[in-house]
Amino acid sequence: MKIRLLAFFFTFCLFACQNTKEKETVFISSENSIRYATGLSIQKFNQYSVITVSNPWPTAEKNYTYILHRKGVVLPDSLQKFTKIQVPIHSIVVTSTTHIPALELLGVEKSLIGFPNTDYISSQKTRALIDAKKVREIGTNQSLNTEVLLDMQPDVIIGFGVDGEKKTYDQLQQNGLKILYNGDWTEQHPLGRAEWIQLFGVLFGKEEQADLVFKIIEKDYLEAVKLAQNAYSKPTIFSGAIYQDQWYLPQGKSWAAQFLENAYGNYLWAASEGTGSLSLSFETVLEKAEKADFWIGPGQFTSFEQIEKANPNYKHFRAVQNKNVYTFSSRKGKTGGVIYYELASSRPDLVLKDLIKILHPELAPEYELYFFEKLK
Protein backbone atom coordinates (compact mmCIF):
# COMPACT_ATOMS: atom_id res chain seq x y z
CA MET A 1 0.00 0.00 0.00
CA LYS A 2 2.88 2.38 0.88
CA ILE A 3 4.57 1.67 -2.43
CA ARG A 4 1.32 2.37 -4.31
CA LEU A 5 0.80 5.64 -2.43
CA LEU A 6 4.39 6.73 -3.15
CA ALA A 7 3.97 5.87 -6.82
CA PHE A 8 0.69 7.76 -7.00
CA PHE A 9 2.22 10.77 -5.20
CA PHE A 10 5.25 10.77 -7.55
CA THR A 11 3.01 10.52 -10.63
CA PHE A 12 0.74 13.32 -9.35
CA CYS A 13 3.72 15.61 -8.68
CA LEU A 14 5.20 14.91 -12.11
CA PHE A 15 1.86 15.66 -13.80
CA ALA A 16 1.39 18.83 -11.76
CA CYS A 17 4.88 20.09 -12.61
CA GLN A 18 4.31 19.41 -16.30
CA ASN A 19 0.98 21.21 -16.10
CA THR A 20 2.57 24.22 -14.41
CA LYS A 21 5.27 24.41 -17.06
CA GLU A 22 2.65 24.09 -19.79
CA LYS A 23 0.64 26.98 -18.36
CA GLU A 24 3.74 29.15 -18.38
CA THR A 25 4.56 28.50 -22.02
CA VAL A 26 1.18 28.17 -23.74
CA PHE A 27 -0.38 31.45 -24.91
CA ILE A 28 -3.91 31.84 -23.57
CA SER A 29 -5.97 34.48 -25.38
CA SER A 30 -7.48 37.35 -23.45
CA GLU A 31 -10.37 39.49 -24.65
CA ASN A 32 -9.58 42.16 -27.22
CA SER A 33 -10.09 45.59 -25.63
CA ILE A 34 -10.63 47.34 -28.99
CA ARG A 35 -14.26 47.89 -30.03
CA TYR A 36 -14.38 49.99 -33.22
CA ALA A 37 -11.05 49.50 -35.03
CA THR A 38 -11.05 46.39 -37.21
CA GLY A 39 -7.31 46.35 -37.91
CA LEU A 40 -6.10 46.52 -34.30
CA SER A 41 -6.33 44.06 -31.44
CA ILE A 42 -4.96 44.65 -27.92
CA GLN A 43 -4.95 41.73 -25.49
CA LYS A 44 -3.76 42.74 -22.03
CA PHE A 45 -2.09 40.38 -19.59
CA ASN A 46 -0.43 40.98 -16.22
CA GLN A 47 3.00 42.17 -17.37
CA TYR A 48 2.64 42.35 -21.13
CA SER A 49 0.19 43.05 -23.96
CA VAL A 50 -0.23 41.26 -27.28
CA ILE A 51 -0.80 43.70 -30.15
CA THR A 52 -2.08 42.42 -33.50
CA VAL A 53 -2.22 44.67 -36.57
CA SER A 54 -4.20 42.95 -39.29
CA ASN A 55 -4.59 45.56 -42.01
CA PRO A 56 -1.67 48.00 -42.09
CA TRP A 57 -2.30 48.55 -45.82
CA PRO A 58 -5.13 47.37 -48.13
CA THR A 59 -3.14 44.56 -49.77
CA ALA A 60 -1.59 43.18 -46.57
CA GLU A 61 -1.60 39.38 -46.65
CA LYS A 62 -0.67 38.63 -43.06
CA ASN A 63 -1.11 39.86 -39.51
CA TYR A 64 1.70 41.51 -37.55
CA THR A 65 1.97 40.61 -33.87
CA TYR A 66 3.97 42.52 -31.26
CA ILE A 67 4.61 41.77 -27.59
CA LEU A 68 4.82 44.92 -25.48
CA HIS A 69 6.29 43.92 -22.12
CA ARG A 70 7.60 45.38 -18.90
CA LYS A 71 11.30 45.18 -18.05
CA GLY A 72 12.45 41.83 -16.72
CA VAL A 73 9.29 39.92 -17.62
CA VAL A 74 9.78 36.26 -18.58
CA LEU A 75 7.53 35.69 -21.61
CA PRO A 76 5.95 32.34 -22.54
CA ASP A 77 7.89 30.35 -25.13
CA SER A 78 4.96 30.64 -27.54
CA LEU A 79 5.48 34.42 -27.78
CA GLN A 80 9.23 34.41 -28.41
CA LYS A 81 8.83 34.38 -32.21
CA PHE A 82 7.09 37.78 -32.26
CA THR A 83 8.66 41.25 -32.21
CA LYS A 84 9.19 42.22 -28.57
CA ILE A 85 9.22 45.84 -27.38
CA GLN A 86 10.01 46.87 -23.82
CA VAL A 87 7.57 49.44 -22.45
CA PRO A 88 7.17 52.16 -21.47
CA ILE A 89 9.19 53.56 -24.36
CA HIS A 90 11.02 56.89 -24.11
CA SER A 91 11.79 57.76 -27.74
CA ILE A 92 9.78 57.27 -30.90
CA VAL A 93 9.81 57.92 -34.65
CA VAL A 94 6.43 58.16 -36.39
CA THR A 95 5.90 58.33 -40.14
CA SER A 96 2.43 59.81 -40.63
CA THR A 97 0.98 63.12 -39.45
CA THR A 98 -2.04 61.15 -38.18
CA HIS A 99 0.24 59.78 -35.43
CA ILE A 100 1.10 63.23 -34.08
CA PRO A 101 -2.23 63.99 -32.32
CA ALA A 102 -2.05 60.74 -30.31
CA LEU A 103 1.32 61.78 -28.89
CA GLU A 104 0.02 65.20 -27.97
CA LEU A 105 -3.25 63.94 -26.47
CA LEU A 106 -1.17 61.71 -24.18
CA GLY A 107 1.31 64.48 -23.39
CA VAL A 108 4.32 62.55 -24.77
CA GLU A 109 5.11 64.67 -27.84
CA LYS A 110 8.62 65.36 -26.47
CA SER A 111 9.44 61.68 -27.03
CA LEU A 112 9.26 62.27 -30.81
CA ILE A 113 12.80 62.39 -32.21
CA GLY A 114 12.28 61.89 -35.96
CA PHE A 115 9.75 62.34 -38.76
CA PRO A 116 9.82 62.14 -42.59
CA ASN A 117 9.26 65.55 -44.22
CA THR A 118 8.54 67.61 -41.12
CA ASP A 119 6.93 70.43 -43.16
CA TYR A 120 3.73 68.37 -43.27
CA ILE A 121 3.31 68.66 -39.49
CA SER A 122 0.85 71.41 -38.56
CA SER A 123 0.51 71.19 -34.78
CA GLN A 124 2.00 74.19 -32.99
CA LYS A 125 3.30 72.03 -30.12
CA THR A 126 5.23 69.67 -32.35
CA ARG A 127 6.32 72.45 -34.70
CA ALA A 128 7.95 74.14 -31.69
CA LEU A 129 9.93 70.93 -31.07
CA ILE A 130 10.95 70.84 -34.75
CA ASP A 131 12.06 74.49 -34.64
CA ALA A 132 14.10 73.71 -31.50
CA LYS A 133 15.89 70.90 -33.43
CA LYS A 134 14.41 68.25 -31.14
CA VAL A 135 12.88 66.34 -34.08
CA ARG A 136 15.21 65.25 -36.87
CA GLU A 137 14.29 65.06 -40.54
CA ILE A 138 14.47 61.45 -41.76
CA GLY A 139 13.74 61.88 -45.48
CA THR A 140 10.42 60.83 -46.99
CA ASN A 141 8.16 57.85 -46.38
CA GLN A 142 9.22 56.40 -49.72
CA SER A 143 12.91 56.89 -48.95
CA LEU A 144 13.70 56.93 -45.24
CA ASN A 145 17.24 57.89 -44.25
CA THR A 146 18.43 54.64 -42.70
CA GLU A 147 21.77 56.10 -41.56
CA VAL A 148 20.06 58.82 -39.53
CA LEU A 149 17.61 56.33 -38.02
CA LEU A 150 20.38 53.91 -37.05
CA ASP A 151 22.27 56.78 -35.47
CA MET A 152 19.20 57.90 -33.50
CA GLN A 153 18.32 54.43 -32.18
CA PRO A 154 14.67 55.16 -31.28
CA ASP A 155 12.89 52.72 -28.98
CA VAL A 156 10.35 52.12 -31.73
CA ILE A 157 9.51 53.27 -35.26
CA ILE A 158 5.81 53.45 -36.13
CA GLY A 159 5.71 52.36 -39.77
CA PHE A 160 3.24 53.55 -42.37
CA GLY A 161 2.66 52.08 -45.81
CA VAL A 162 0.13 52.19 -48.63
CA ASP A 163 1.16 49.31 -50.87
CA GLY A 164 3.20 46.83 -48.83
CA GLU A 165 6.59 48.12 -49.97
CA LYS A 166 8.63 47.69 -46.79
CA LYS A 167 12.19 47.04 -47.92
CA THR A 168 13.57 49.92 -45.85
CA TYR A 169 11.66 48.81 -42.74
CA ASP A 170 12.96 45.26 -43.17
CA GLN A 171 16.51 46.60 -43.43
CA LEU A 172 16.11 48.66 -40.28
CA GLN A 173 14.67 45.68 -38.43
CA GLN A 174 17.57 43.51 -39.51
CA ASN A 175 19.85 46.11 -37.92
CA GLY A 176 18.12 45.82 -34.57
CA LEU A 177 15.50 48.58 -34.68
CA LYS A 178 11.92 47.87 -33.62
CA ILE A 179 9.28 48.46 -36.32
CA LEU A 180 5.57 48.54 -35.43
CA TYR A 181 3.11 49.04 -38.30
CA ASN A 182 0.16 51.38 -37.86
CA GLY A 183 -2.93 50.93 -40.03
CA ASP A 184 -5.19 53.64 -38.61
CA TRP A 185 -5.79 55.12 -42.07
CA THR A 186 -7.43 51.94 -43.38
CA GLU A 187 -10.24 52.07 -40.78
CA GLN A 188 -13.69 53.03 -42.10
CA HIS A 189 -15.58 53.75 -38.88
CA PRO A 190 -14.75 57.30 -37.71
CA LEU A 191 -14.29 56.08 -34.13
CA GLY A 192 -12.16 53.19 -35.40
CA ARG A 193 -9.39 55.53 -36.50
CA ALA A 194 -9.51 57.49 -33.25
CA GLU A 195 -9.28 54.28 -31.22
CA TRP A 196 -5.69 53.71 -32.37
CA ILE A 197 -4.65 56.07 -29.57
CA GLN A 198 -4.95 52.94 -27.41
CA LEU A 199 -1.85 51.53 -29.13
CA PHE A 200 0.19 54.58 -28.11
CA GLY A 201 -1.25 54.26 -24.62
CA VAL A 202 0.29 50.79 -24.25
CA LEU A 203 3.61 51.90 -25.75
CA PHE A 204 4.01 54.73 -23.25
CA GLY A 205 2.47 52.99 -20.25
CA LYS A 206 -0.48 55.38 -20.37
CA GLU A 207 -3.30 52.92 -20.99
CA GLU A 208 -5.72 54.56 -18.56
CA GLN A 209 -5.12 58.04 -20.00
CA ALA A 210 -5.55 56.79 -23.58
CA ASP A 211 -8.78 55.02 -22.62
CA LEU A 212 -10.11 58.17 -20.93
CA VAL A 213 -9.25 60.38 -23.91
CA PHE A 214 -10.93 57.99 -26.32
CA LYS A 215 -14.05 57.63 -24.17
CA ILE A 216 -14.49 61.42 -24.13
CA ILE A 217 -14.18 61.55 -27.94
CA GLU A 218 -16.55 58.58 -28.29
CA LYS A 219 -19.13 60.19 -25.99
CA ASP A 220 -19.01 63.51 -27.87
CA TYR A 221 -19.27 61.73 -31.23
CA LEU A 222 -22.26 59.59 -30.25
CA GLU A 223 -24.03 62.60 -28.74
CA ALA A 224 -23.50 64.47 -32.02
CA VAL A 225 -25.00 61.54 -33.95
CA LYS A 226 -28.12 61.76 -31.75
CA LEU A 227 -28.28 65.51 -32.23
CA ALA A 228 -28.23 65.16 -36.03
CA GLN A 229 -31.24 62.85 -35.90
CA ASN A 230 -33.32 65.80 -34.73
CA ALA A 231 -32.91 67.51 -38.11
CA TYR A 232 -36.03 68.28 -40.14
CA SER A 233 -34.43 67.68 -43.53
CA LYS A 234 -31.67 65.63 -45.13
CA PRO A 235 -29.75 67.91 -47.54
CA THR A 236 -28.20 66.40 -50.67
CA ILE A 237 -24.40 66.42 -50.87
CA PHE A 238 -21.63 65.69 -53.33
CA SER A 239 -17.89 65.78 -52.75
CA GLY A 240 -14.47 65.61 -54.37
CA ALA A 241 -13.20 67.33 -57.51
CA ILE A 242 -11.58 66.74 -60.89
CA TYR A 243 -8.00 65.49 -61.01
CA GLN A 244 -6.43 64.66 -64.39
CA ASP A 245 -9.81 64.56 -66.19
CA GLN A 246 -11.47 62.31 -63.60
CA TRP A 247 -13.70 63.30 -60.70
CA TYR A 248 -12.67 61.47 -57.53
CA LEU A 249 -15.19 61.21 -54.71
CA PRO A 250 -15.72 58.90 -51.70
CA GLN A 251 -17.35 55.51 -52.13
CA GLY A 252 -20.45 54.78 -50.07
CA LYS A 253 -18.78 52.74 -47.30
CA SER A 254 -15.73 54.99 -46.96
CA TRP A 255 -14.61 56.90 -43.88
CA ALA A 256 -15.70 60.24 -45.38
CA ALA A 257 -19.12 58.91 -46.41
CA GLN A 258 -19.75 57.61 -42.89
CA PHE A 259 -19.44 61.14 -41.52
CA LEU A 260 -22.01 62.48 -43.98
CA GLU A 261 -24.44 59.70 -43.07
CA ASN A 262 -23.99 60.30 -39.33
CA ALA A 263 -24.51 64.04 -39.86
CA TYR A 264 -27.91 63.18 -41.35
CA GLY A 265 -26.91 64.16 -44.85
CA ASN A 266 -28.00 62.60 -48.13
CA TYR A 267 -24.72 61.80 -49.82
CA LEU A 268 -25.66 61.12 -53.44
CA TRP A 269 -23.23 58.21 -53.81
CA ALA A 270 -24.02 56.60 -50.43
CA ALA A 271 -25.33 53.46 -52.15
CA SER A 272 -22.08 52.82 -54.03
CA GLU A 273 -20.02 49.83 -52.88
CA GLY A 274 -16.48 50.09 -51.64
CA THR A 275 -14.41 51.97 -49.07
CA GLY A 276 -12.11 53.93 -51.35
CA SER A 277 -12.76 56.43 -54.13
CA LEU A 278 -14.95 56.48 -57.21
CA SER A 279 -13.46 57.74 -60.46
CA LEU A 280 -16.13 59.37 -62.63
CA SER A 281 -16.42 61.74 -65.56
CA PHE A 282 -17.47 65.35 -65.02
CA GLU A 283 -20.67 64.71 -66.98
CA THR A 284 -21.63 61.80 -64.74
CA VAL A 285 -21.22 63.87 -61.58
CA LEU A 286 -23.03 66.88 -63.05
CA GLU A 287 -25.99 64.77 -64.14
CA LYS A 288 -26.49 63.45 -60.61
CA ALA A 289 -25.36 66.39 -58.46
CA GLU A 290 -26.35 69.45 -60.48
CA LYS A 291 -29.14 70.36 -58.04
CA ALA A 292 -27.42 69.13 -54.85
CA ASP A 293 -27.65 71.42 -51.83
CA PHE A 294 -24.00 71.24 -50.73
CA TRP A 295 -20.55 70.59 -52.14
CA ILE A 296 -18.40 69.48 -49.20
CA GLY A 297 -14.69 68.82 -49.57
CA PRO A 298 -13.95 70.21 -53.08
CA GLY A 299 -10.39 68.91 -53.25
CA GLN A 300 -7.74 71.59 -52.81
CA PHE A 301 -10.01 74.49 -53.82
CA THR A 302 -10.10 77.26 -51.22
CA SER A 303 -11.93 80.01 -53.19
CA PHE A 304 -14.58 80.39 -55.88
CA GLU A 305 -12.00 82.13 -58.04
CA GLN A 306 -9.91 78.95 -58.09
CA ILE A 307 -12.98 76.88 -58.99
CA GLU A 308 -13.91 79.16 -61.90
CA LYS A 309 -10.34 79.18 -63.26
CA ALA A 310 -10.01 75.39 -63.00
CA ASN A 311 -13.20 74.62 -64.93
CA PRO A 312 -15.92 77.13 -65.94
CA ASN A 313 -18.44 74.28 -66.00
CA TYR A 314 -18.40 74.07 -62.20
CA LYS A 315 -20.79 77.04 -62.31
CA HIS A 316 -23.60 74.70 -63.40
CA PHE A 317 -23.84 73.19 -59.91
CA ARG A 318 -26.54 74.74 -57.73
CA ALA A 319 -24.20 74.49 -54.70
CA VAL A 320 -21.74 76.79 -56.50
CA GLN A 321 -24.47 79.19 -57.54
CA ASN A 322 -25.79 79.37 -53.95
CA LYS A 323 -22.29 79.57 -52.44
CA ASN A 324 -22.83 76.38 -50.45
CA VAL A 325 -19.31 75.00 -50.87
CA TYR A 326 -17.22 74.07 -47.81
CA THR A 327 -13.56 73.11 -47.71
CA PHE A 328 -11.09 71.85 -45.11
CA SER A 329 -8.06 72.70 -47.26
CA SER A 330 -7.83 76.38 -46.32
CA ARG A 331 -6.81 75.79 -42.69
CA LYS A 332 -3.11 75.02 -42.67
CA GLY A 333 -0.17 74.93 -40.33
CA LYS A 334 2.78 77.31 -40.43
CA THR A 335 4.62 75.28 -43.09
CA GLY A 336 1.63 74.46 -45.28
CA GLY A 337 0.36 71.17 -43.84
CA VAL A 338 -3.43 70.82 -43.95
CA ILE A 339 -4.67 70.57 -40.35
CA TYR A 340 -7.56 68.29 -41.33
CA TYR A 341 -5.24 65.61 -42.71
CA GLU A 342 -3.31 65.54 -39.43
CA LEU A 343 -6.02 65.86 -36.79
CA ALA A 344 -9.36 64.75 -38.24
CA SER A 345 -8.81 61.02 -37.76
CA SER A 346 -8.07 61.55 -34.05
CA ARG A 347 -10.96 63.98 -33.51
CA PRO A 348 -13.94 62.59 -35.44
CA ASP A 349 -16.21 64.34 -32.94
CA LEU A 350 -15.07 67.72 -34.27
CA VAL A 351 -15.49 66.63 -37.91
CA LEU A 352 -19.04 65.46 -37.24
CA LYS A 353 -19.95 68.63 -35.33
CA ASP A 354 -18.65 70.70 -38.25
CA LEU A 355 -20.83 68.79 -40.70
CA ILE A 356 -23.90 69.13 -38.50
CA LYS A 357 -23.29 72.88 -38.28
CA ILE A 358 -23.03 73.07 -42.08
CA LEU A 359 -26.06 70.90 -42.88
CA HIS A 360 -28.28 71.76 -39.92
CA PRO A 361 -27.13 75.09 -38.44
CA GLU A 362 -30.29 75.36 -36.34
CA LEU A 363 -29.14 72.37 -34.25
CA ALA A 364 -25.87 73.99 -33.18
CA PRO A 365 -26.36 77.78 -33.18
CA GLU A 366 -23.38 78.51 -30.90
CA TYR A 367 -20.91 76.08 -32.46
CA GLU A 368 -18.06 77.46 -34.61
CA LEU A 369 -16.53 75.42 -37.42
CA TYR A 370 -13.19 73.84 -36.52
CA PHE A 371 -11.91 72.20 -39.73
CA PHE A 372 -14.19 73.49 -42.48
CA GLU A 373 -14.66 76.94 -43.97
CA LYS A 374 -17.24 78.27 -46.40
CA LEU A 375 -15.63 79.26 -49.68
CA LYS A 376 -15.48 82.96 -50.48
Side-chain angles (χ1 to χ4, degrees):
M1 178 64 71
K2 288 183 179 180
I3 293 173
R4 287 180 180 177
L5 286 172
L6 286 172
F8 174 78
F9 180 73
F10 176 77
T11 304
F12 175 79
C13 288
L14 180 62
F15 178 76
C17 290
Q18 288 175 337
N19 249 12
T20 301
K21 185 177 180 182
E22 194 172 307
K23 286 181 181 178
E24 290 175 351
T25 57
V26 174
F27 169 55
I28 302 173
S29 294
S30 141
E31 186 178 352
N32 177 20
S33 62
I34 298 300
R35 293 178 293 123
Y36 294 95
T38 60
L40 175 65
S41 168
I42 299 179
Q43 298 166 293
K44 297 177 182 178
F45 296 85
N46 188 26
Q47 295 293 321
Y48 63 89
S49 295
V50 179
I51 309 295
T52 304
V53 177
S54 58
N55 196 30
W57 48 83
T59 58
E61 297 179 348
K62 70 172 187 175
N63 295 342
Y64 293 84
T65 300
Y66 310 91
I67 312 303
L68 277 52
H69 64 89
R70 296 285 178 174
K71 184 177 181 180
V73 171
V74 178
L75 295 170
D77 291 344
S78 57
L79 300 182
Q80 296 298 330
K81 62 183 178 180
F82 302 118
T83 298
K84 296 175 285 296
I85 302 170
Q86 183 178 305
V87 295
I89 63 169
H90 303 288
S91 62
I92 191 170
V93 167
V94 301
T95 51
S96 169
T97 57
T98 61
H99 306 157
I100 300 297
L103 301 180
E104 295 190 354
L105 288 167
L106 295 177
V108 294
E109 65 274 1
K110 290 183 179 179
S111 66
L112 180 66
I113 60 174
F115 187 86
N117 202 333
T118 54
D119 283 349
Y120 285 125
I121 295 177
S122 302
S123 164
Q124 293 183 4
K125 273 188 178 181
T126 304
R127 287 236 58 87
L129 294 172
I130 295 168
D131 294 341
K133 309 299 182 184
K134 301 292 185 181
V135 181
R136 294 178 68 176
E137 178 69 61
I138 58 170
T140 66
N141 233 328
Q142 293 74 30
S143 182
L144 296 176
N145 191 322
T146 56
E147 291 184 8
V148 171
L149 286 166
L150 289 170
D151 178 60
M152 292 164 60
Q153 289 292 307
D155 291 338
V156 68
I157 299 172
I158 303 298
F160 165 79
V162 295
D163 56 7
E165 175 52 54
K166 56 188 184 69
K167 182 179 179 181
T168 302
Y169 289 130
D170 289 343
Q171 181 182 350
L172 290 168
Q173 197 151 1
Q174 289 166 9
N175 281 277
L177 295 186
K178 305 290 186 180
I179 309 296
L180 195 161
Y181 291 112
N182 184 308
D184 60 355
W185 71 280
T186 66
E187 300 289 345
Q188 301 310 318
H189 194 294
L191 288 173
R193 291 193 182 187
E195 199 171 19
W196 279 76
I197 192 175
Q198 305 279 14
L199 171 62
F200 291 92
V202 180
L203 282 169
F204 287 96
K206 291 181 174 286
E207 292 96 332
E208 290 185 6
Q209 186 176 338
D211 190 52
L212 177 60
V213 169
F214 177 71
K215 282 180 176 176
I216 292 172
I217 293 170
E218 177 191 27
K219 178 176 178 291
D220 288 348
Y221 188 90
L222 296 178
E223 286 180 353
V225 172
K226 289 183 180 179
L227 177 65
Q229 292 170 356
N230 294 322
Y232 294 110
S233 63
K234 203 170 187 180
T236 50
I237 306 160
F238 67 105
S239 187
I242 294 176
Y243 178 73
Q244 293 184 348
D245 297 327
Q246 289 292 300
W247 192 306
Y248 293 93
L249 67 165
Q251 290 178 323
K253 301 297 185 293
S254 66
W255 182 71
Q258 295 302 307
F259 278 115
L260 298 175
E261 179 182 348
N262 288 341
Y264 205 68
N266 178 12
Y267 177 50
L268 294 176
W269 279 268
S272 62
E273 294 297 325
T275 59
S277 297
L278 291 167
S279 175
L280 305 174
S281 67
F282 179 92
E283 292 75 19
T284 300
V285 176
L286 180 62
E287 181 181 0
K288 192 166 188 174
E290 181 178 4
K291 298 186 183 303
D293 298 309
F294 290 92
W295 183 4
I296 297 178
Q300 297 304 309
F301 293 135
T302 57
S303 71
F304 284 107
E305 182 181 0
Q306 291 177 354
I307 287 178
E308 291 167 4
K309 285 184 178 179
N311 189 333
N313 290 317
Y314 281 129
K315 67 183 179 183
H316 294 296
F317 290 97
R318 179 188 288 175
V320 175
Q321 297 165 8
N322 294 342
K323 307 295 184 184
N324 278 333
V325 183
Y326 289 81
T327 182
F328 54 71
S329 298
S330 58
R331 295 190 172 178
K332 300 178 180 180
K334 185 173 69 173
T335 52
V338 177
I339 294 172
Y340 182 89
Y341 292 143
E342 179 173 308
L343 184 58
S345 61
S346 291
R347 294 302 307 272
D349 53 327
L350 297 179
V351 177
L352 184 56
K353 289 177 182 179
D354 273 14
L355 293 171
I356 292 171
K357 176 68 174 183
I358 292 168
L359 301 178
H360 316 289
E362 72 283 357
L363 296 180
E366 304 299 322
Y367 180 79
E368 294 184 6
L369 296 179
Y370 190 92
F371 292 112
F372 288 86
E373 284 187 347
K374 193 172 187 178
L375 256 64
K376 299 175 183 178

